[in-house]
Every structure is written in C-alpha cells, then in structure tokens.
Amino acid sequence: LRTWARDRILIQSGLSDFGLHDCICFLEADRPVVYGNIATLMKASRAVHRHASEDEALEAFNALVHRVLPNAFDRALGQRHFQLKHYLFFGLCANGAAALDYTCSEIARDEVPRRVLGTFLYQSLMAASLGSLTLMLMEVVTSRFVHLQGWREAVY
C-alpha cells in the first residue's frame, strides 16, 4: 500500500510538472513530426486558433495536460486502491476461516439449525466487515504517512 501511495504521488507530480520539451523521443529525428502532429491536433480540436504557431499550440497542449490529466488520473483510479467487492473478499479471506470454525463448532454441538444459521451469518458478516474496515483503515493511514522515510518509516 505504501509503495502504491508513493507511486501515485510521483505520477501526480509528474503530470503537474509535465513539459513537452522535456519528453524523450526514442528517435530524436521524430521530434519535429511528433510536435507537428500535436500542433495539428490542438488546432483541429480548436484548443488554439487555426493560424496559431506550433509553439503556441505546444504551450496550449502543456496547459491542457496540467489542467486535465491530474483530475482524469484521480477519477480513473478513484480515491481507494480497491473496489468494495475486493475489500469484502479480502475480509472474508482473512477472517472467513474463523467464521467457518465457529459455525462448525455449533454443528458439532448439535445446536438447532436456526442457531447454526445465525452463527454463520453473524460470523460471516463480522469477517467481511471487520477485515474490510481494517484494510480500508490501513489504506487511509498509509496514504497519510507516505512522507515518512528512514527510521521514522521503520517505526511506522
């Protein structure tokens, strides 16, 4: 979780510091073609006037990346690492064995079916919710203290 939180911060800062002229071309000879295509795209999408220079179009592209991509990145990935179904699954995996153990002990003691069913439902709910909430809490805490490094990180 900490690694992903750090990667997410690096990606966000990379998007906010993006500069087209700082990008690396595999073949440097392709740079004018790439710049020309970006300028054409910016003009065709009416992000700049059709008579704008290539430099104006490229600056508009940089501004567009700074303005649009960080928000699009956040929306695409969401606030959390996983969806609710994943949290529930992890919770059941982590605590489901205990729920099954409690239920089997009720069956072994020849308890009435209603009590066995109640125990099973209660323990399954607890396994899913407590495990899920624990994982969600770990994710929140991890993302809040991602700046810690060195001995502070080890203590954390």
Side-chain angles (χ1 to χ4, degrees):
L1 291 175
R2 287 181 63 77
T3 302
W4 172 241
R6 283 192 177 132
D7 288 347
R8 189 177 179 131
I9 289 171
L10 286 173
I11 291 170
Q12 287 287 25
S13 67
L15 290 173
S16 63
D17 297 340
F18 176 81
L20 188 59
H21 297 289
D22 298 329
C23 292
I24 299 170
C25 279
F26 181 73
L27 292 174
E28 197 57 38
D30 290 342
R31 188 175 293 273
V33 175
V34 171
Y35 284 179
N37 287 338
I38 291 172
T40 302
L41 174 70
M42 294 302 287
K43 291 174 185 177
S45 66
R46 297 186 178 143
V48 295
H49 191 271
R50 64 185 174 107
H51 297 296
S53 70
E54 185 175 279
D55 287 335
E56 291 171 333
L58 296 179
E59 283 305 312
F61 179 77
N62 279 338
L64 181 69
V65 168
H66 292 159
R67 188 176 68 250
V68 173
L69 281 186
N71 293 333
F73 177 77
D74 277 345
R75 277 188 307 231
L77 294 179
Q79 292 296 321
R80 301 283 164 248
H81 293 92
F82 306 108
Q83 296 176 359
L84 180 60
K85 64 183 177 183
H86 299 125
Y87 287 115
L88 292 173
F89 177 75
F90 293 142
L92 282 173
C93 286
N95 302 313
L100 192 58
D101 185 47
Y102 280 113
T103 304
C104 289
S105 69
E106 294 284 328
I107 293 171
R109 288 190 306 229
D110 289 330
E111 292 292 339
V112 293
R114 187 181 335 172
R115 181 174 172 101
V116 172
L117 180 61
T119 300
F120 175 74
L121 291 175
Y122 174 76
Q123 292 298 329
S124 297
L125 179 66
M126 293 303 289
S129 62
L130 287 179
S132 302
L133 289 173
T134 301
L135 187 59
M136 287 178 187
L137 180 63
M138 285 174 47
E139 182 179 1
V140 168
V141 170
T142 298
S143 64
R144 296 288 186 261
F145 296 104
V146 73
H147 63 281
L148 297 178
Q149 294 182 353
W151 68 269
R152 290 182 179 101
E153 181 179 16
V155 169
Y156 166 77

